[in-house]
Amino acid sequence: MRKKYFGVSVKYVYFALLIFSCHDMERQKFKLEFSMRSVPVTLLWSYISSASGLKEWFADSVTVAGKKYTFEWNRQRQSAVVLGCRNEQSIRFRWDDTVGRDYFEMSISVNELTDSTTLTIVDFAEPDDMDDAKELWETQVDTLRRVLGC
């Protein structure tokens, strides 16, 4: 069950704050790594790069038109453009209304010795919002793990 405040999902509240917040403070880059056990790369890739996959864990609804992804949370839409994509390796997005060079990226790596798959998230947040941003990603990736049976 998703956390809700005042009837609104936590992920929507955070993404709304992230996108509409004032950019007075310097946003800082952060990186999170999540073990996905031995999930096949092709399967994980479909969940981080396709509309149907992202809808399962990242947003309530996702549509794709070329390089533009539109995400919907509680009937509020936000669009992002794909800045770069390496098939079955990584995908990097920038929110349409982002000021500066901020982006968010999801990448996949496999440890050949242990055959374990890792999902790495790179994102940016203001120093005061860093803990909330990390917590949001942890919550979202926990949902993805449940969907994938990790």
Side-chain angles (χ1 to χ4, degrees):
M1 180 170 212
R2 295 180 179 162
K3 292 181 186 176
K4 293 196 176 229
Y5 292 100
F6 305 106
V8 178
S9 73
V10 171
K11 69 181 171 185
Y12 170 71
V13 170
Y14 173 73
F15 280 116
L17 289 172
L18 174 74
I19 292 166
F20 297 115
S21 67
C22 193
H23 293 282
D24 293 338
M25 285 192 242
E26 182 68 27
R27 294 169 54 86
Q28 296 177 350
K29 183 177 178 179
F30 66 91
K31 180 179 176 179
L32 301 169
E33 293 184 352
F34 300 94
S35 172
M36 302 303 285
R37 297 196 182 163
S38 294
V39 170
V41 169
T42 54
L43 179 61
L44 182 54
W45 177 250
S46 71
Y47 277 86
I48 69 170
S49 65
S50 72
S52 60
L54 287 161
K55 183 182 174 199
E56 293 292 318
W57 69 280
F58 187 73
D60 298 333
S61 176
V62 181
T63 56
V64 178
K67 289 188 170 193
K68 186 171 192 160
Y69 284 58
T70 302
F71 303 94
E72 185 175 319
W73 296 274
N74 293 350
R75 298 185 183 144
Q76 299 295 318
R77 292 184 179 170
Q78 293 299 320
S79 295
V81 64
V82 174
L83 297 177
C85 179
R86 290 180 287 178
N87 195 35
E88 297 188 355
Q89 291 181 25
S90 66
I91 188 162
R92 181 179 288 189
F93 296 94
R94 175 173 291 135
W95 296 112
D96 281 349
D97 45 7
T98 294
V99 177
R101 296 183 174 188
D102 294 5
Y103 61 88
F104 68 98
E105 180 178 72
M106 296 177 274
S107 60
I108 302 169
S109 60
V110 177
N111 182 318
E112 293 181 18
L113 294 175
T114 63
D115 199 34
S116 62
T117 305
T118 300
L119 175 63
T120 302
I121 306 293
V122 175
D123 200 354
F124 291 78
E126 292 180 3
D128 292 345
D129 296 332
M130 187 69 68
D131 290 340
D132 290 337
K134 290 177 180 179
E135 182 179 344
L136 174 69
W137 278 112
E138 289 165 359
T139 301
Q140 296 302 97
V141 174
D142 281 347
T143 302
L144 175 59
R145 285 179 173 148
R146 279 193 303 277
V147 168
L148 293 172
C150 294

